[in-house]
């Protein structure tokens, strides 16, 4: 009888350990998964009124000249950090490019032009649970016989509604963008409370699951009883919670960052897949997305320093960025470099202008600056990991979802979950697209790929529901 190799012995140990750990977690520690009860909270000042204003009001952005003058004064008095030679963006936002960006911002950036671009979309506000919620609502121009599918797009940090400005025309006017008559969408893009022009909460506790409740109420107020949802970053959690809480109205769930990795089976698959990929259902391409674990861990660790401070002491860093437009730009835009492509850290300009223009980048920052919501956006992380809310978010990452779903897996996204590992949670995963290019801000970087994936998924989801209606 030949001796087993060390690798084989190690593999056997890993598999046996995974089975034992899985048995313990599933049968001893795990409680049955139930949809959590999310408290109905009044987030405004004071007590909930007996009757809330339910009107939907038109909103037009018009930043005062005083605000713009103050901004220019601050830019003129910028104090830059010291030079540090031999690095590009490996230590953070590069000094030389920041000086170039500030000069353009101060002398050449035309905010009124960008403000007109922002206002070219239909903006509204409405009050829900004490908060004035801002959202875009763009309706397609339909001819008799044409129908549009309602679609809610959910952003995250450091994004805003502006992330979707390139995909909205593609989705609402498909015939002008390579689509067909079945590709019309009516698009709703809310701003997370405390982001952009949505009012921040006046008390602790408003995180992704609470935002999901507000979005469900918004869609109900707008008269929708069936619609699609799409999200990345925090938006992926928000729309997943929406699908979990009310699958009767959410017809389809499209994600470009899948974060459903807290279920027990994931740990088992991770252990087994490290030694015997095929036993964990992994192809070579799948394996390369996840392993070596140590390399992935070090990369994620290097990219999540922001998360730790924002999830623990958001107000500390907040004092700096609300007073310094350059500090705010550095915090926000550094992510548009490393999260678009991690190799951009080795370029003098961080690769920012490979996919985005200076005007786009500065418009992103300006929305945070003129709305004075930078600190409340950071607070979202603190609320998410709080003792009050973490169990709800954890459940949202584990409870199975049965409505049609899709994942667009972009190569430079922060997290990757191989398709075989997604089906235990997304039990009607109709589409998993391995994208040829793109990163975290896919809607802004590769709008055509992003939009086409939504179109393809919606067609499959509509066919799914037609089959269901016949059974």
């Amino acid at each position: 009888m030949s001796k087993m190799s060390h690798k084989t012995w190690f593999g056997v140990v890993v598999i046996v350990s995974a089975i034992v750990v899985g048995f313990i977690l599933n049968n001893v520690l795990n409680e049955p998964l139930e949809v959590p009860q999310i408290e109905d909270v009044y987030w405004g000042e004071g007590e909930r009124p007996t009757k809330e204003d339910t009107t939907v009001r038109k909103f037009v952005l018009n930043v005062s000249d005083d605000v713009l003058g103050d901004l220019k004064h601050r830019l003129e008095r910028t104090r830059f950090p010291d030079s540090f030679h031999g690095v590009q963006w490996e230590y953070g936002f590069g000094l030389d490019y920041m000086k170039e960006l500030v000069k353009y911002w101060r002398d050449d950036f035309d905010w009124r032009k960008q403000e007109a671009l922002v206002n070219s979309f239909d903006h509204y506000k409405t009050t829900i649970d004490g908060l004035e919620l801002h959202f875009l609502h763009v309706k397609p121009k339909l001819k008799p016989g044409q129908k549009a599918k309602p679609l809610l797009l959910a952003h995250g940090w450091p994004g805003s509604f502006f992330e979707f400005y390139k995909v909205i025309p593609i989705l609402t006017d498909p015939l002008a963008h390579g689509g067909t008559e079945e590709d019309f969408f009516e698009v709703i893009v809310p701003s997370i409370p405390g982001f952009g022009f949505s009012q921040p909460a006046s008390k602790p506790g408003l995180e992704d699951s609470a935002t999901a409740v507000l979005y469900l109420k918004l869609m109900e107020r707008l008269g929708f009883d069936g619609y699609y949802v799409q999200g990345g970053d925090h938006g992926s959690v928000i729309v997943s919670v929406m699908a979990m809480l009310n699958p009767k109205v959410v017809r389809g769930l499209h994600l470009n960052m899948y974060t459903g990795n807290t279920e027990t089976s994931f740990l088992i698959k991770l252990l087994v897949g490290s030694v015997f990929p095929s036993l964990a259902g992994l192809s070579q391409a799948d394996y390369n997305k996840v392993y070596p674990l140590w390399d992935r861990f070090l990369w994620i660790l290097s990219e999540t320093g922001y998360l730790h401070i924002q999830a623990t002491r958001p107000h500390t860093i907040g004092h700096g960025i609300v007073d310094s437009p350059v500090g705010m730009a550095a915090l926000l835009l550094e992510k548009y470099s490393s999260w678009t492509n991690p190799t951009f850290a080795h370029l003098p300009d961080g690769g920012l202008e490979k996919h985005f223009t200076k005007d786009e980048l500065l418009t992103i920052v300006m929305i945070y600056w003129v709305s004075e919501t930078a600190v409340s956006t950071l607070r979202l992380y603190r609320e998410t990991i709080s003792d009050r809310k973490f169990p709800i978010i954890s459940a949202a990452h584990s409870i199975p979802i049965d409505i049609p779903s899709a994942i667009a897996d972009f190569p430079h996204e922060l997290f990757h979950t191989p398709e075989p590992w997604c089906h235990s949670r997304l039990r009607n995963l109709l589409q998993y697209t391995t994208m040829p290019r793109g990163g975290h801000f896919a809607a802004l970087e590769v709008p055509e790929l992003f939009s086409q994936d939504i179109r393809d998924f919606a067609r499959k989801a509509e066919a799914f529901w037609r089959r269901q209606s016949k059974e």
Side-chain angles (χ1 to χ4, degrees):
M1 184 176 176
S2 61
K3 293 183 178 180
M4 298 177 70
S5 68
H6 290 297
K7 181 177 180 180
T8 303
W9 273 113
F10 177 71
V12 171
V13 171
V14 168
I15 292 173
V16 172
S17 299
I19 293 172
V20 171
V21 170
F23 178 84
I24 293 173
L25 292 175
N26 275 312
N27 296 286
V28 179
L29 300 180
N30 254 5
E31 297 179 358
L33 292 175
E34 296 181 359
V35 176
Q37 295 294 317
I38 299 179
E39 186 180 0
D40 194 18
V41 178
Y42 182 75
W43 298 107
E45 297 281 354
E47 300 295 323
R48 185 187 293 271
T50 55
K51 186 176 181 180
E52 186 169 70
D53 179 9
T54 60
T55 60
V56 176
R57 305 171 291 278
K58 186 77 174 176
F59 171 75
V60 177
L61 179 59
N62 184 18
V63 178
S64 72
D65 290 336
D66 288 345
V67 169
L68 298 179
D70 173 75
L71 171 63
K72 185 169 185 177
H73 178 70
R74 291 170 188 266
L75 293 173
E76 290 170 343
R77 295 174 59 85
T78 299
R79 185 168 67 176
F80 293 101
D82 62 317
S83 299
F84 190 65
H85 303 289
V87 299
Q88 300 297 344
W89 285 49
E90 295 90 349
Y91 284 55
F93 205 108
L95 177 60
D96 291 341
Y97 184 75
M98 180 58 84
K99 289 181 177 179
E100 177 186 330
L101 187 66
V102 169
K103 183 178 184 302
Y104 180 82
W105 197 357
R106 183 190 64 222
D107 299 335
D108 300 310
F109 178 65
D110 186 349
W111 167 247
R112 294 304 181 193
K113 177 183 175 183
Q114 295 306 109
E115 187 178 65
L117 172 62
V118 170
N119 283 328
S120 68
F121 302 99
D122 293 327
H123 295 249
Y124 301 89
K125 287 188 175 184
T126 191
T127 303
I128 300 177
D129 290 340
L131 296 183
E132 197 171 51
L133 197 66
H134 162 262
F135 61 99
L136 274 62
H137 188 179
V138 183
K139 299 179 181 180
K141 296 178 181 178
L142 300 174
K143 296 179 180 178
Q146 293 177 333
K147 294 182 179 180
K149 294 177 282 293
L151 169 66
L152 182 145
L153 301 174
H155 70 83
W157 185 93
S160 69
F161 64 88
F162 185 70
E163 257 179 79
F164 301 107
Y165 92 93
K166 291 179 180 177
V167 304
I168 292 174
I170 300 174
L171 294 169
T172 57
D173 189 8
L175 300 183
H177 297 88
T180 68
E181 290 201 350
E182 62 179 330
D183 295 327
F184 279 101
F185 289 91
E186 182 174 344
V187 177
I188 300 90
V189 188
S191 294
I192 296 173
F195 281 68
F197 307 106
S198 280
Q199 182 181 349
S202 65
K203 61 194 70 171
L206 199 154
E207 39 55 82
D208 292 336
S209 66
T211 301
V213 172
L214 293 173
Y215 284 9
L216 287 167
K217 291 181 178 181
L218 170 65
M219 296 300 279
E220 182 180 9
R221 180 168 297 178
L222 295 178
F224 298 114
D225 56 9
Y227 49 87
Y228 289 84
V229 294
Q230 196 289 326
D233 197 82
H234 280 278
S236 70
V237 182
I238 293 168
V239 296
S240 295
V241 174
M242 293 176 71
M244 177 185 71
L245 292 178
N246 199 344
K248 292 182 179 180
V249 297
V250 179
R251 292 180 60 83
L253 171 69
H254 185 282
L255 306 172
N256 62 294
M257 189 176 86
Y258 178 69
T259 56
N261 297 336
T262 62
E263 59 265 31
T264 302
S265 61
F266 180 75
L267 175 61
I268 300 171
K269 294 169 185 173
L270 200 62
L271 291 171
V272 174
S274 65
V275 183
F276 297 114
S278 60
L279 289 181
L282 300 181
S283 66
Q284 186 61 50
D286 290 330
Y287 182 88
N288 293 339
K289 292 179 181 180
V290 180
Y291 305 97
L293 286 176
W294 182 247
D295 291 350
R296 295 295 302 169
F297 171 76
L298 289 179
W299 184 80
I300 291 173
L301 186 66
S302 72
E303 284 298 325
T304 51
Y306 79 97
L307 190 152
H308 188 242
I309 190 167
Q310 290 172 201
T312 54
R313 300 293 186 273
H315 289 180
T316 298
I317 191 173
H319 286 288
I321 63 173
V322 298
D323 194 53
S324 169
V326 175
M328 181 183 292
L331 178 68
L332 300 177
L333 298 184
E334 187 261 332
K335 301 308 177 192
Y336 285 80
S337 167
S338 60
W339 292 359
T340 298
N341 189 323
T343 65
F344 287 175
H346 308 305
L347 300 177
D349 64 352
L352 279 177
E353 293 187 52
K354 285 185 175 293
H355 299 289
F356 315 115
T357 66
K358 282 188 175 74
D359 284 345
E360 288 173 335
L361 296 168
L362 290 175
T363 301
I364 291 164
V365 178
M366 287 290 288
I367 289 170
Y368 279 71
W369 181 261
V370 302
S371 63
E372 300 183 10
T373 54
V375 177
S376 55
T377 70
L378 306 185
R379 206 154 48 222
L380 182 62
Y381 289 84
R382 179 68 177 87
E383 304 295 3
T384 298
I385 69 157
S386 69
D387 293 339
R388 300 182 304 274
K389 294 293 185 174
F390 191 75
I392 297 174
I393 296 299
S394 180
H397 285 71
S398 305
I399 291 175
I401 293 174
D402 290 321
I403 64 167
S405 58
I407 295 173
D409 186 49
F410 290 90
H412 297 303
E413 184 52 270
L414 297 175
F415 307 104
H416 295 282
T417 304
E419 179 182 356
W421 297 2
C422 300
H423 289 275
S424 61
R425 177 170 174 252
L426 302 178
R427 297 199 288 208
N428 277 300
L429 182 62
L430 304 185
Q431 179 172 296
Y432 184 104
T433 310
T434 299
M435 290 294 186
R437 60 188 182 278
H440 189 69
F441 305 99
L444 191 60
E445 179 191 352
V446 285
E448 294 83 7
L449 288 177
F450 181 90
S451 301
Q452 188 59 47
D453 204 67
I454 294 174
R455 288 175 177 173
D456 293 342
F457 165 61
R459 292 171 187 166
K460 295 172 184 176
E462 289 297 304
F464 171 91
W465 289 117
R466 286 194 295 270
R467 291 193 300 270
Q468 292 290 306
S469 66
K470 293 178 181 178
E471 294 178 359

